[in-house]
Amino acid sequence: MRPPSTDHGGLPNLKFSFADAHVKMKEGGWSREVTQTELPVATTIAGVNMRLNAGGVRELHWHKQAEWSFMIAGNARITSVDNDGHNFVADVAAGDLWYFPSGIPHSIQGLAPDGCEFLLAFPDGKFSEDDTFAITDMFAHMPKEALAKNMSVDQKVFDHIPPGERFIFKVPIPPALQADTVGSAQGKVPLDMAFRLMQQDPTSSPGGWVRIADTRNFTISSDIAAALVEVNPGHIREIHWHTNADEWQYYLAGQGRMTVFAAQGNARTFDFQAGDVGYVPKAMPHFVENIGKEPLRFLELFNAPRFVDVSLNQWMALTPHELVQAHLNIDRQVIDALPKDKRPIV
Ligand code: MN
Ligand code: MN
């Protein structure tokens, strides 16, 4: 009810919950999105939250924008073929990422026992899941004569194709990965499209941990850099800002509070819980505090090839201390004691 007394002025809304987004419910799963339409400030990234039941398929499709994903729960099989005929089939589980470059066709299917739920991120706030090139939609809108010539078959082959896009639909659960793999004379894709984020060494402290995935370790992910952050109760993702891109956040678990300072005396505080999207324009300093009793877990995503942040503490620690002290009227010993290494969670 009562915001911190330090809040001031008019900032654009920096929060929208997937719980308030329209759900496209299908047999086989569901989908909902938070784009620039829902969160006008979010011009750089749009997000989709999708559930596929066991066997449910997000149909073969592609789009202008690249696709980055974080598996929230369950298991899925993902497929793709690149422009040189390299193919890719992999199974992904909770905590895994995937990345399909712009225009490259792909599919996602929920596996046993209970399918999956994941977050998709696209490096364009205007992107909508309604704006994809679907294989069924394309077949429905190519002349059958052309389809027949293209595949060197009789037109009758296409008597029973679907009348339009299927989007998400139910098919039997596929066989084991090995049995479902198609050989390609060109071989596999040169850059892995899946990434096991939880197998990366975290930056850890008693307050929590951070795992980063960007082009330094997930080479193919040129358009989205990510950090998965866990903050323990009472701790804080330190005051920092990002020099290269706006931040698009997705809250996975726990309860968080973020204040964003926007210069000119303006600041605003927002509370977050699982399923919420947060946004921080480039260069605006912010913190995220765990105000609950459980670990707070969230994703920081950037429309950029690398994760970059500036730490307030590190900046002050590495600047002449008398100069810092003269600005803030803080005891010199406090400035002297600041850590010179970066500590994302304190
Ligand atoms: Mn896609
Ligand atoms: Mn941040």
Side-chain angles (χ1 to χ4, degrees), residues 22 206 217 238 279 281 293 325 342:
H22 171 68
N217 52 4
E238 68 163 349
Y279 200 80
K293 293 186 168 64
Q325 186 190 17
K342 193 178 283 183

Side-chain angles (χ1 to χ4, degrees), residues 58 61-63 67 100 106 108 120 122 127 129 132:
R58 172 68 181 97
H61 72 283
W62 69 100
H63 23 77
E67 170 175 317
F100 300 123
H106 53 275
I108 312 158
L120 300 171
F122 305 91
F127 176 84
E129 269 283 280
T132 64

Side-chain angles (χ1 to χ4, degrees), residues 237 240-242 247 249 280 286 288 298 300 302 307 309:
R237 169 79 173 94
H240 68 280
W241 56 95
H242 305 276
E247 173 175 340
Q249 304 169 333
V280 187
H286 53 285
V288 183
F298 63 98
E300 304 179 4
F302 306 87
F307 176 91
D309 70 345

Side-chain angles (χ1 to χ4, degrees), residues 88-340:
F88 171 80
V89 186
D91 287 354
V92 286
D96 291 343
L97 310 181
W98 71 72
Y99 186 90
F100 300 123
S102 59
I104 296 297
H106 53 275
S107 68
I108 312 158
Q109 183 174 20
L111 297 177
D114 189 31
C116 58
E117 183 186 343
F118 49 90
L119 175 78
L120 300 171
F122 305 91
D124 177 356
K126 291 199 185 74
F127 176 84
S128 166
E129 269 283 280
D130 298 335
D131 185 23
T132 64
F133 300 94
I135 192 170
T136 52
D137 195 17
M138 184 188 63
F139 266 72
H141 294 95
M142 289 284 183
K144 287 192 175 143
E145 187 188 2
L147 291 173
K149 280 188 181 169
N150 193 66
M151 291 167 65
S152 305
V153 293
D154 190 276
Q155 281 190 44
K156 283 201 213 61
V157 166
F158 306 105
D159 282 352
H160 304 293
I161 60 171
E165 185 184 9
R166 301 186 83 171
F167 189 60
I168 293 172
F169 63 103
K170 207 169 159 46
V171 301
I173 293 170
L177 185 60
Q178 216 52 33
D180 208 23
T181 301
V182 180
S184 163
Q186 291 73 235
K188 295 185 190 312
V189 291
L191 296 177
D192 202 344
M193 293 173 168
F195 185 74
R196 315 293 170 185
L197 180 61
M198 297 310 287
Q199 290 173 15
Q200 301 299 304
D201 287 335
T203 303
S204 285
S205 71
W209 51 259
V210 178
R211 284 182 167 87
I212 290 169
D214 63 15
T215 49
R216 287 170 288 186
N217 52 4
F218 188 18
T219 314
I220 197 171
S221 188
S222 58
D223 294 1
I224 298 279
L228 176 63
V229 179
E230 185 163 294
V231 182
N232 291 328
H235 291 76
I236 192 171
R237 169 79 173 94
E238 68 163 349
I239 297 174
H240 68 280
W241 56 95
H242 305 276
T243 59
N244 60 345
D246 296 357
E247 173 175 340
W248 195 97
Q249 304 169 333
Y250 178 77
Y251 286 84
L252 291 153
Q255 292 181 292
R257 176 165 295 167
M258 174 169 74
T259 293
V260 177
F261 170 62
Q264 301 188 324
N266 294 325
R268 204 171 148 195
T269 302
F270 298 83
D271 284 353
F272 296 95
Q273 62 182 2
D276 289 345
V277 172
Y279 200 80
V280 187
K282 183 162 86 173
M284 288 191 187
H286 53 285
F287 67 82
V288 183
E289 181 182 10
N290 184 340
I291 57 166
K293 293 186 168 64
E294 308 294 326
L296 170 69
R297 199 181 261 215
F298 63 98
L299 287 160
E300 304 179 4
L301 304 182
F302 306 87
N303 182 338
R306 278 184 69 159
F307 176 91
V308 179
D309 70 345
V310 172
S311 157
L312 171 66
N313 284 342
Q314 189 178 42
W315 175 41
M316 293 191 296
L318 296 171
T319 300
H321 292 184
E322 298 219 342
L323 179 62
V324 177
Q325 186 190 17
H327 284 74
L328 298 170
N329 298 326
I330 295 172
D331 282 349
R332 173 68 185 258
Q333 302 96 287
V334 174
I335 309 295
D336 291 347
L338 285 170
K340 290 177 175 162

